[in-house]
Amino acid sequence: MTRKIIIDTDPGQDDALAILLALGAPELDILGITCVAGNVPLALTTINARKICELAGRPDIKVFAGCDRPLERTLVTAEHVHGKTGLDGVDLPEPMMPLQPEDAVSFIIDSLRAASDRSITLVPIGPLTNIATALQRAPDIAPKIAEIVLMGGAYFEVGNITPTAEFNIYVDPEAAQIVFGAGIPLTVMPLDVTHKAVTYPEWVEGFRAQGTELGLAVAGWTGFFERFDKEKYGSQGAPLHDPCTIAYLIAPDLFSGRHINVEIEVSSPLTLGMTVADWWGVTDRAANATFMKDIDANGFFALLTERISALPGR
Ligand code: RIB
Ligand code: CA
């Protein structure tokens, strides 16, 4: 039985690998890809999402434009990590496939309203603005959502955009507070686990050696994207944050974590966007998220190689 999903994304090189992995997963039925402002502005994330689909030979995928700014705050982008286009590292042709006419939030709402209870999984891998807006506009959709599997947050790893906050949460903390407080089954891939999913030279060279447009794109993207983490953390490669969500949907046993309470800081200027994870159970706040901490990295990279290498390409 395939699992119906909607990927909400701000491509970004790691978003690209997550989308490619999902396109290589017969276990998943991608109802649509909804774009949000994040790594780069919305105008670019909608172009990038379509470039990725066409690169994979899937111009049939429905791509939607969503929110172009956070609920309340000014947009913060991450060109310093992802480059000016958001997909630096490879030059791909401008997309030919159209954007869908419906806006992303309406698509999310309409898809869920037409679905049976607990039948669609949302996979946000950028700021949570689209998801929060849909929940605010149509609270009745909550019971239709099987699970939200998101990339965001950090506890042991602390922040990557501020000393305490991870980027996706930091960009729209009010949206994150709505999502984490919605009472919907929530699985979180924070930096604690994604910083253990770091590319290594042999893996990247394996894709480059394929010599295909797709293989060269994976090598080019990770080769560009790794600069930031190599410089900041001394990492050996690029942390594949967003693909952790899709890998979890395909092979959940690759991951382990705890079902705990996680709250979002929305007021302190010092710790804005922090995911306050009660990992040690020191409060009586109710558990609301499965917060992942460990990964079988060998299994993860083997899965990515197997699935992405099998894509037909353009
Ligand atoms: O902090 C990492 C997250 O921010 C990833 O989703 C990356 O694509 C960026 O959006
Ligand atoms: Ca992302």
Side-chain angles (χ1 to χ4, degrees):
M1 166 107 132
T2 57
R3 185 162 176 164
K4 294 183 181 352
I5 69 169
I6 294 173
I7 300 173
D8 191 75
T9 179
D10 65 334
Q13 293 87 349
D14 60 319
D15 303 67
L17 295 193
I19 293 167
L20 291 178
L21 180 58
L23 291 171
E27 302 90 336
L28 305 177
D29 174 8
I30 304 172
L31 302 181
I33 294 179
T34 52
C35 302
V36 68
N39 285 322
V40 287
L42 181 70
L44 286 175
T45 60
T46 55
I47 288 171
N48 292 344
R50 287 177 286 160
K51 283 185 175 181
I52 296 157
C53 290
E54 289 184 342
L55 172 70
R58 292 298 306 276
D60 57 298
I61 296 289
K62 291 181 181 169
V63 177
F64 301 82
C67 299
D68 63 1
R69 73 200 66 183
L71 295 182
E72 297 176 17
R73 298 174 187 273
T74 307
L75 177 64
V76 171
T77 52
E79 286 86 349
H80 64 291
V81 178
H82 299 275
K84 192 169 49 62
T85 71
L87 281 185
D88 284 28
V90 184
D91 281 335
L92 293 175
E94 290 306 300
M96 303 290 285
M97 63 189 278
L99 262 184
Q100 294 301 307
E102 190 181 16
D103 74 274
V105 174
S106 301
F107 168 72
I108 292 169
I109 292 170
D110 294 347
S111 301
L112 288 166
R113 280 184 168 157
S116 50
D117 281 6
R118 300 283 180 234
S119 63
I120 295 179
T121 297
L122 301 184
V123 188
I125 51 178
L128 291 164
T129 317
N130 287 346
I131 310 302
T133 304
L135 288 169
Q136 279 183 316
R137 204 183 291 172
D140 57 287
I141 64 174
K144 305 299 188 76
I145 303 169
E147 185 177 11
I148 294 176
V149 183
L150 70 85
M151 190 280 140
Y155 181 61
F156 293 100
E157 278 296 286
V158 293
N160 61 358
I161 187 81
T162 74
T164 57
E166 175 278 328
F167 179 77
N168 287 341
I169 308 298
Y170 178 74
V171 169
D172 200 339
E174 285 74 18
Q177 187 175 53
I178 289 167
V179 171
F180 279 70
I184 296 167
L186 180 60
T187 299
V188 179
M189 294 289 168
L191 298 179
D192 305 13
V193 70
T194 68
H195 277 177
K196 297 172 183 171
V198 177
T199 60
Y200 49 95
E202 296 77 8
W203 186 81
V204 174
E205 288 318 308
F207 274 102
R208 195 185 315 281
Q210 291 179 7
T212 60
E213 185 189 24
L214 218 156
L216 293 170
V218 171
W221 280 331
T222 50
F224 181 89
F225 175 52
E226 69 183 14
R227 298 153 25 268
F228 175 77
D229 287 77
K230 276 188 162 178
E231 207 170 293
K232 176 170 183 176
Y233 297 103
S235 311
Q236 67 171 357
L240 296 191
H241 307 291
D242 294 338
C244 286
T245 59
I246 303 296
Y248 166 79
L249 292 174
I250 300 168
D253 293 346
L254 290 175
F255 299 90
S256 62
R258 283 185 188 175
H259 190 61
I260 59 172
N261 175 267
V262 181
E263 301 294 337
I264 310 296
E265 176 60 67
V266 293
S267 53
S268 155
L270 196 55
T271 57
L272 182 70
M274 181 176 182
T275 45
V276 182
D278 188 6
W279 184 264
W280 304 108
V282 297
T283 76
D284 56 3
R285 293 194 289 257
N288 60 338
T290 298
F291 201 75
M292 294 301 188
K293 185 167 182 287
D294 287 304
I295 182 174
D296 166 3
N298 292 335
F300 172 77
F301 281 102
L303 180 70
L304 262 73
T305 299
E306 175 205 352
R307 296 304 180 93
I308 294 177
S309 303
L311 286 168
R314 211 187 299 263

